[in-house]
Every structure is written in structure tokens, then in C-alpha cells.
Amino acid sequence: CVMIFFAFLVTLVACNAPPVPLDDIVIEKTFTPERCDRAVKSGDFVRYHYNGMFPDGKKFDSSYDRGTTYNVFVGRKQLIAGMDKALVGMCVNERRLVKIPPQLAYGKDGYGDIIPPESILHFDVLLLDVWNADDKAQIQTYHKPEKCGRIVQVSDYVRYHYNGTLLDGTLFDSRTYDTYVGIGWLIAGMDQGLLGMCVGERRIITMPPSLGYGEHGDGSDIPPQASLVFDVVLLDLHNPKDEIAVEVQSLPDSCTRKSVEGDFMRYHYNGTLLDGTFFDSSYSRNRTYDTYIGKGYVIAGMDQGLLGVCVRERRRITIPPHLAYGEEGTGTKIPGSAVLVFDVHIIDFHNPSDKVEITSVKPEKCSYTTKRGDFIKYHYNATLMDGTYIDSSHSYGKTYDVVLGAGQVIPGMEQGLLEMCVGEKRTLVVPPHLGYGERGVDGEVPGSAVLVFDIELVNVEEGLPDGYMFVWNDDVSPDLFSEMDRNKDLEVDTTEFSDYILRQVNDGKGRLAPGFDPHRIIENMYSNQDRNKDGRITADEFKLKADEASTHDEL
């Protein structure tokens, strides 16, 4: 029993024995980060959190309790000697348990009522930041676009997105920011870090507090003396002195005319921001954008960029914000101060003063040319100016037949068919005010479209003089009324009238206007002779056209 009690006594004394004296600090690394870009050296400035404890675990101090890190230079005797040694070699986010003997702590004097003399001290330390007074801004580019036509220079205006963190990874801000570069509108480190960037480039910019928010921080999320890390992507770049930039991507083989101020244009476009972000497209609406150019109907940069283009040309127009939507943007898809990029395809343009353009290939022999009133037969192929197919008489397997001057075709076609020879071929370019106008033809011809017709005159039947629907080939019979009055009742009814006129035509003694329904013509002639509209023509009512005012369409 005595032996058992002695063994228990030895064990109890050992458990409550005073700490074994230390000759030097003891460091236990309780957490080591995967990456360590930089280790603390003597002379560096550090920010760290700590819990200070005695060997029995009793806490005597804590930066966490004060709600602020401990900020100090290492190796300048601003710390107890043991802590000065313990911090050297640490990485940001590394955690160490440091045991410091009295001779490297507060020694035989202790520290007031808090730390007794000859105390061994334990510190649980988490390093959050390290920098040196000689540090500059560090730039790491981790993505660069294949094409970089322009880089950021002093006085440029930029739009960029960033994630801002402290050196330990704590996020303090994330947003898109617009500003001038290099003129003091930014913290110095960001001013330096943005220079030389391309749109689409991504950088990590690390800066010491001297180039950030200094010894006072920002008063909220950024503590004093904090290193800052910005993960930046450049979205936009321009200078207030910029003009539009035009890159011609393709030209037609032939360009006989270029756009000028006052022209009306139809074009397709895709609109993006400078970083490629899509905001609008005429293609998605399945219709062109139609407008006058050079008259302020579109943004100033587009007004400029559409001058001097050819039909079918494709060009890229880059427009700085002061020639686009300015500082305010559109409030939705286009942010303020945004550079815009338009890829445009010119479909057609015309001027309100345009006339029909006629290009002709005449046959060797031409004995007669078309005029108003002629009945003609022709073939045509119709397209838009960009070559888009509209219609063709060949697809119907027959000619298109019209009477010139009767309003049976659009005015531009009417003009283009005059003074043609049989066998002649023409190309007509018809502006919309002589075509189908602003409305076009639903599903077939777009509004305000310039039309191109390739036509060939196949046949022509000479028409009657203007204002006549029937003419005599021979002298008029002096007994015309009695010849019509077959039943001799002194009245001519519709049947007698119609039979007589058709007989004269068949016998070659008279002609009806070609291209019209003969029965409709005869009905109209009869109606004009029937003055009192009783359905009968008497001898008193019956008169030749030569005896009438020129406004009547009768015999």
C-alpha cells in the first residue's frame, strides 16, 4: 500500500511541475498555406492576429479581443525579442504557436500586473499581411487577348471590373468602375497597375499600403497599413480626344456610288461593347435599320461611320462614348461611358432626289420604241440592291403584260419601260419613292427598299392616242347611228352597240385600246353616249368624240 501511494504522489507532483526552462523560442507550425509568395524578413512591416497565453492556457492578451490586428515592423526592436525572431520566415495565412522564454520576453521584471517575472509566454499567431517600405506595385498578367490594338495610357478613360481583397484573401469590394487613369483619380497603385493593359486583359495588381489607402485605411473595409490585391479585367478604353475608328472588312467588286449626307440607308448591324458583350442586333429583329444619315437621326458616331460606304460593304465602326450614348449610357444594356462597336452590312441607300437609273443594251435594229398607251409584254428579274431575290416572270413561265401609262406597274418601272425597242435589255435601279415606298410589300419587299430590275422587252402593240379607248381606221360612216340601230326603233341598246363595235374591230375598220377588257371598254363607251342614263341611246344623244370635249371617252 505504501508503494502504491508513493507512485501516485510522484505522478501528481510531475503533473503540477513548473515549466521546463527554454533556451530559445520554440515554433510549432499549426497551419501552412499551399502557396507562399513571400516570407517575412527583418525590416518588413507585418499585420497579424494573436492570442497570448501562459503555458497553462490562461490568456493574458488578444488582438482579436481588441478587434484590430497588431501592426509593426519586424527586427526593429518594436517587439519582444522572441516575437521578432518568431515572425521571420512566416507566410501570409500561416499560423504558428510560438513559445518564448522569459529572457526573450519580459524577463525578470515581467509586465505590470499582466505578466509575472520570469514568465514563459505562448503566442498563437496568424499572419495577415507583409510588406516593405521599398515595395512597388506588383503586376501579374494571367490572360492577354490575342489581338491588342491599343493599351491604356495616361489620361485614358477606362471601365474595368475588379475583385479587391486583402493579402490574406479577405474580400473588401467587387464591382465595375469607370475612371480616368494616371491623373490622380485612383489610388496610386491602381493608377500604375492599369497602364499598358489591353481590353480583355486580366491582371492581378498587388500594392503596398503606401500605394493604397496608407496608414489610415478607408475607414471601413480596408484596415490601416493594409496591402491590397486587385484582380482586374479591363472592359473598355477610350480617350476624350478619340474619333470614330472605321475598319473596312469587305468591299463589293464594283462600287459606282458612295453614301453622302442626306441619303436614306438600310443596313444590318450587330452591336457590342468593346469587350465583346452583345447589346443589340438588327438581325435578331429580322429587319434592317432604316434611317437618314448625316442628319442626326442616329448617334453622332454612326452618322459619321456610315458616310462614304458602298452598297454591300461591310465595315466595323468603333465609337467613343462622347459620340455615342455618353456618360449616362442607355440605362439598360449600354453602360455609361461605353465604347460601342458596330459591325454593319450596307443593304442599300438612296437619296430622295434620285431618279430611275437605266442601263441599256439595244438590239441592232429598232423600228419602234414604246410610248404611253402601248400594250407591252416583257420579262423581268427583280432583286434588292444586295442581290436578294424578290420575283421573276420566268418563274411563272410567261411574260408580264401591261399597258404603259395605265398605272399597272410602279412609277419607276413605268419610266424604265418607255422608249424601249423589242429585244432591248435594261437594268433599272428604282428608288423606293418610285417603287413600293416606305411600307414595301408585306413579306416580299422591305419598306424603303431600292429595287433592281433586269428587263427584256418581248413584244409591243401600239396603243391609241392619249385619251382614246377606240379609234376608226377608216372614214366614219355618215349613217353610223342607223347602222347600229338594227331593229330600226330609233334607239340603240347595249347589244346593238356592242355587236356593231366588235364587228368594226373584226373587220379592221376600228381599234380598241390594247391590253384592256374589250367588253369593259364598250360598256364605258355606251355609258358615255347614254346621256340621260336610261339604258337607250337616241340620235340626239349620239355624238362622235371629235364633236365632244376632250375629257369624254366616247366615239
Side-chain angles (χ1 to χ4, degrees):
C1 289
V2 174
M3 290 296 293
I4 292 172
F5 174 77
F6 179 73
F8 175 75
L9 182 61
V10 170
T11 301
L12 183 63
V13 171
C15 291
N16 290 279
V20 176
L22 300 174
D23 295 328
D24 202 352
I25 64 172
V26 175
I27 296 175
E28 296 179 15
K29 296 183 178 182
T30 56
F31 177 79
T32 303
E34 292 183 5
R35 288 184 55 183
C36 182
D37 297 324
R38 176 175 185 173
V40 176
K41 296 183 296 185
S42 181
D44 285 345
F45 190 93
V46 295
R47 294 191 310 111
Y48 63 93
H49 267 306
Y50 70 89
N51 284 314
M53 302 165 289
F54 296 113
D56 63 357
K58 181 181 178 182
K59 182 168 67 175
F60 62 82
D61 192 17
S62 173
S63 63
Y64 296 99
D65 292 345
R66 292 192 297 274
T68 180
T69 55
Y70 197 74
N71 308 334
V72 69
F73 282 99
V74 176
R76 294 189 181 181
K77 297 185 179 180
Q78 296 178 358
L79 293 162
I80 57 176
M83 185 62 79
D84 248 351
K85 293 180 65 176
L87 291 171
V88 172
M90 279 193 82
C91 304
V92 171
N93 286 325
E94 182 179 340
R95 193 164 193 162
R96 291 181 174 183
L97 178 61
V98 182
K99 301 176 181 179
I100 304 177
Q103 67 272 20
L104 297 177
Y106 293 98
K108 62 183 179 180
D109 296 326
Y111 187 80
D113 297 332
I114 300 173
I115 298 175
E118 301 296 339
S119 294
I120 295 173
L121 305 181
H122 290 186
F123 289 92
D124 183 358
V125 179
L126 174 63
L127 186 67
L128 300 179
D129 199 347
V130 55
W131 54 269
N132 192 280
D134 295 329
D135 284 351
K136 309 293 183 186
Q138 300 175 31
I139 298 171
Q140 176 193 350
T141 298
Y142 65 94
H143 173 74
K144 199 159 190 173
E146 293 183 3
K147 293 183 179 181
C148 180
R150 178 175 183 175
I151 60 173
V152 177
Q153 297 178 337
V154 172
S155 81
D156 281 345
Y157 195 91
V158 298
R159 189 161 49 86
Y160 60 95
H161 192 82
Y162 70 85
N163 291 321
T165 64
L166 305 181
L167 205 59
D168 67 337
T170 300
L171 179 72
F172 61 81
D173 196 13
S174 177
R175 57 175 161 158
T176 302
Y177 197 71
D178 305 348
T179 186
Y180 286 97
V181 177
I183 61 172
W185 286 26
L186 290 163
I187 54 175
M190 186 62 84
D191 250 352
Q192 297 174 21
L194 291 172
L195 291 174
M197 284 192 80
C198 307
V199 171
E201 182 176 340
R202 294 176 180 269
R203 286 182 175 182
I204 293 177
I205 304 170
T206 305
M207 63 193 70
S210 60
L211 299 177
Y213 288 92
E215 61 184 20
H216 299 296
D218 72 344
S220 58
D221 298 315
I222 299 175
Q225 302 288 19
S227 300
L228 305 179
V229 181
F230 291 92
D231 191 342
V232 176
V233 55
L234 186 64
L235 303 177
D236 203 342
L237 158 66
H238 77 276
N239 193 281
K241 298 178 181 179
D242 285 351
E243 302 294 338
I244 66 167
V246 175
E247 176 190 349
V248 176
Q249 297 174 319
S250 69
L251 285 169
D253 294 333
S254 174
C255 179
T256 58
R257 175 178 177 178
K258 292 188 176 182
S259 60
V260 296
E261 183 178 312
D263 282 347
F264 190 90
M265 183 174 291
R266 298 193 311 116
Y267 62 95
H268 271 302
Y269 70 88
N270 286 318
T272 65
L273 305 181
L274 202 57
D275 66 343
T277 301
F278 169 87
F279 64 81
D280 193 18
S281 174
S282 62
Y283 295 99
S284 64
R285 295 188 292 274
N286 198 31
R287 61 168 299 172
T288 55
Y289 192 79
D290 308 340
T291 185
Y292 286 97
I293 60 172
K295 296 291 187 180
Y297 289 95
V298 291
I299 56 175
M302 186 63 85
D303 248 354
Q304 296 175 25
L306 292 174
L307 293 174
V309 300
C310 305
V311 171
R312 299 188 187 183
E313 181 177 337
R314 294 178 184 270
R315 58 170 52 181
R316 174 169 288 177
I317 306 170
T318 303
I319 304 175
H322 50 276
L323 296 175
Y325 292 98
E327 296 180 0
E328 301 300 323
T330 62
T332 53
K333 295 182 179 180
I334 298 177
S337 300
V339 177
L340 307 182
V341 180
F342 291 92
D343 288 319
V344 299
H345 179 205
I346 310 303
I347 304 302
D348 71 33
F349 59 84
H350 72 279
N351 195 280
S353 62
D354 284 352
K355 303 184 185 319
V356 178
E357 296 179 23
I358 301 175
T359 306
S360 179
V361 178
K362 291 182 178 291
E364 293 182 3
K365 295 181 179 181
C366 180
S367 59
Y368 179 84
T369 59
T370 56
K371 65 179 185 309
R372 286 172 58 88
D374 287 350
F375 179 60
I376 66 170
K377 297 183 177 184
Y378 66 98
H379 275 299
Y380 69 88
N381 291 315
T383 66
L384 301 180
M385 282 288 282
D386 66 344
T388 301
Y389 171 85
I390 296 177
D391 195 15
S392 173
S393 62
H394 298 282
S395 64
Y396 306 109
K398 60 180 182 179
T399 58
Y400 196 73
D401 308 339
V402 298
V403 176
L404 291 178
Q408 296 174 356
V409 290
I410 56 175
M413 179 64 82
E414 190 93 66
Q415 296 176 23
L417 289 168
L418 290 172
E419 300 181 0
M420 280 191 80
C421 307
V422 172
E424 182 177 344
K425 295 180 180 180
R426 288 182 174 182
T427 297
L428 312 179
V429 179
V430 181
H433 50 274
L434 298 175
Y436 291 100
E438 295 181 0
R439 293 188 177 183
V441 178
D442 190 32
E444 298 181 41
V445 180
S448 301
V450 178
L451 306 178
V452 180
F453 293 94
D454 289 318
I455 60 176
E456 179 181 4
L457 186 61
V458 175
N459 188 58
V460 57
E461 183 178 345
E462 186 178 0
L464 303 186
D466 195 22
Y468 284 79
M469 299 302 285
F470 173 85
V471 295
W472 296 97
N473 293 332
D474 298 325
D475 292 335
V476 182
S477 170
D479 297 322
L480 185 59
F481 182 80
S482 62
E483 290 176 8
M484 285 187 184
D485 183 16
R486 298 287 296 274
N487 62 6
K488 305 306 178 183
D489 61 355
L490 302 180
E491 294 179 338
V492 175
D493 62 22
T494 56
T495 302
E496 290 173 323
F497 188 88
S498 177
D499 288 346
Y500 183 83
I501 296 298
L502 289 175
R503 188 164 61 252
Q504 304 310 302
V505 171
N506 292 336
D507 292 343
K509 296 179 181 180
R511 290 182 61 213
L512 290 169
F516 297 99
D517 181 354
H519 298 288
R520 293 291 300 274
I521 294 176
I522 295 171
E523 286 177 11
N524 187 53
M525 292 170 62
Y526 187 87
S527 177
N528 287 337
Q529 293 293 324
D530 183 13
R531 315 293 176 169
N532 60 10
K533 307 303 179 188
D534 63 352
R536 293 287 185 269
I537 300 174
T538 65
D540 291 336
E541 292 176 304
F542 191 81
K543 291 182 181 179
L544 294 176
K545 184 171 180 65
D547 300 325
E548 290 291 323
S550 60
T551 55
H552 293 289
D553 289 333
E554 63 240 348
L555 291 173

